[in-house]
Amino acid sequence: MPVLVLLFTTTLFWAMLLVCNRIALTSFDIDPYAMTCWQLVFGGIALVLMAPGRRIPWRQFTLPINWAYGILRVMTGVTWTAALVYISAPESGILSQTGMPLAALAATFILGRPPGRSEWLGHAALIAGAVWLAWHLPGGFANPAVLLMLASEVTAISSSVLAEKHPDNQIKDAWAHLRFTGVLLLITASIFLAVPPLVDLISPVPIPYISTAGLFGTETLIAGLLIGVLFRGPAMVLSLRSIKTAGIEKYILSTSVLPFILLGLEMIAASFGLTPTPAHNSVFWISSLLIMIGIVQITVSKQRHSAKLRALATEPIRTET
């Protein structure tokens, strides 16, 4: 699969997942925490059970790096899902743009891939777009969604770095990679079940419904099954493959278009009465414009930086005689 197609497909699946979460939370009697947990369980089981005849990779359940990844994904999933209680899916996409500058910092100081200097102008535009929206939310920067989304991005970038470095994410066997991803989802689900008090303790703001009290609600189970198998599992598979193929910087850059995809999908959902009709004002559109400017600047800068590196790599070595 071409890299651009892979990156776009990954972003599309995450957008559909978030909009489906939004539909579930606003239209049905759904427990957000329990629904996320069931998504992981059913999505993970579906991936592990694929390719009949292959052995279940039990060894994966004992690796500390997998449990570290699971903890980070728990924090990412809980905080983003909880943020949807306070803001719309497109607004959460705008606030998630803080992830791109964080990815650039991680690439610079952890992965040893510093971006071109002009790229930082694009990151500044992304931050400006997120800050502009956050400032105008009800309660401003004190709105719980602001801290929830920031925590979500910090943990998302941390888990992405782990994923890029993970030796089992380098395997070429597609079926083995599906099972590896399934194990990660099941580990994450087990952490969801085991540590609600811990998540509640370390969260910077109160997170609604942070318990397993609604775990066996009928609508919660059905939503977890459908969204987990159809979207959560495939989104994780595509994400890990994108990180392996393109690196976290390009992966996170591709997700920068998430607010615009979310906006379109949420308008479609609203037309069927599944979610409240989006009523975005000039604040949202100014933020969106800043985000678009940042995306364009970063994309152009990356292309120029890559071309410069290729030119330096192919330049013949001059020797003095």
Side-chain angles (χ1 to χ4, degrees):
M1 181 184 295
V3 175
L4 286 177
V5 175
L6 174 62
L7 291 171
F8 176 77
T9 304
T10 303
T11 302
L12 180 60
F13 264 89
W14 280 116
M16 291 189 292
L17 169 66
L18 290 170
V19 170
C20 286
N21 281 344
R22 174 77 168 163
I23 292 171
L25 291 172
T26 58
S27 301
F28 302 98
D29 183 20
I30 299 291
D31 184 306
Y33 191 88
M35 177 186 68
T36 305
C37 182
W38 283 121
Q39 287 177 13
L40 295 165
V41 170
F42 290 121
I45 289 175
L47 294 176
V48 169
L49 294 181
M50 293 184 73
R54 293 174 180 260
R55 293 185 301 172
I56 295 177
W58 298 110
R59 180 187 67 87
Q60 294 284 351
F61 288 96
T62 66
L63 298 179
I65 189 174
N66 289 350
W67 288 90
Y69 182 87
I71 291 171
L72 292 170
R73 293 305 303 177
V74 165
M75 296 305 300
T76 301
V78 166
T79 49
W80 194 318
T81 300
L84 294 176
V85 174
Y86 302 99
I87 57 177
S88 68
E91 287 172 335
S92 74
I94 293 289
L95 294 183
S96 74
Q97 299 309 309
T98 54
M100 189 65 225
L102 291 173
L105 291 172
T108 301
F109 296 106
I110 300 176
L111 302 175
R113 296 195 301 260
R117 284 180 296 180
S118 63
E119 184 176 317
W120 293 108
L121 295 174
H123 294 300
L126 294 181
I127 293 173
V131 168
W132 180 257
L133 178 67
W135 185 27
H136 290 87
L137 289 175
F141 295 113
N143 189 300
V146 176
L147 280 177
L148 287 168
M149 288 305 302
L150 181 59
S152 180
E153 289 308 305
V154 169
T155 53
I157 298 304
S158 300
S159 64
S160 296
V161 172
L162 276 185
E164 181 167 337
K165 291 291 189 179
H166 200 303
D168 289 311
N169 196 33
Q170 314 307 318
I171 54 180
K172 296 182 179 180
D173 185 334
W175 293 112
H177 192 265
L178 288 179
R179 287 174 172 249
F180 159 66
T181 307
V183 169
L184 291 182
L185 288 173
L186 290 173
I187 287 175
T188 305
S190 67
I191 297 171
F192 257 88
L193 287 171
V195 295
L198 177 61
V199 174
D200 194 27
L201 178 66
I202 65 178
S203 172
V205 295
I207 300 179
Y209 317 114
I210 191 71
S211 74
T212 56
L215 193 64
F216 295 104
T218 301
E219 292 183 346
T220 298
L221 276 167
I222 294 173
L225 171 63
L226 294 176
I227 300 175
V229 173
L230 296 177
F231 300 111
R232 177 75 68 172
M236 276 298 300
V237 171
L238 292 168
S239 291
L240 291 174
R241 185 59 67 184
S242 294
I243 291 170
K244 171 185 178 295
T245 304
I248 65 168
E249 308 98 299
K250 291 181 180 178
Y251 165 66
I252 299 298
L253 176 60
S254 69
T255 63
S256 295
V257 300
L258 194 61
F260 309 105
I261 299 177
L262 284 171
L263 180 61
L265 292 177
E266 193 160 281
M267 289 178 66
I268 294 173
S271 68
F272 288 96
L274 297 174
T275 61
T277 302
H280 302 300
N281 55 20
S282 60
V283 171
F284 177 84
W285 295 114
I286 291 173
S287 295
S288 299
L289 178 61
L290 289 168
I291 296 302
M292 183 58 68
I293 292 172
I295 293 172
V296 172
Q297 171 64 23
I298 293 172
T299 302
V300 172
S301 176
K302 281 188 177 297
Q303 290 176 341
R304 290 176 177 173
H305 189 59
S306 297
K308 185 183 296 184
L309 292 177
R310 286 195 299 270
L312 290 173
T314 56
E315 185 177 280
I317 300 176
R318 297 179 179 178
T319 57
E320 294 184 1
T321 56

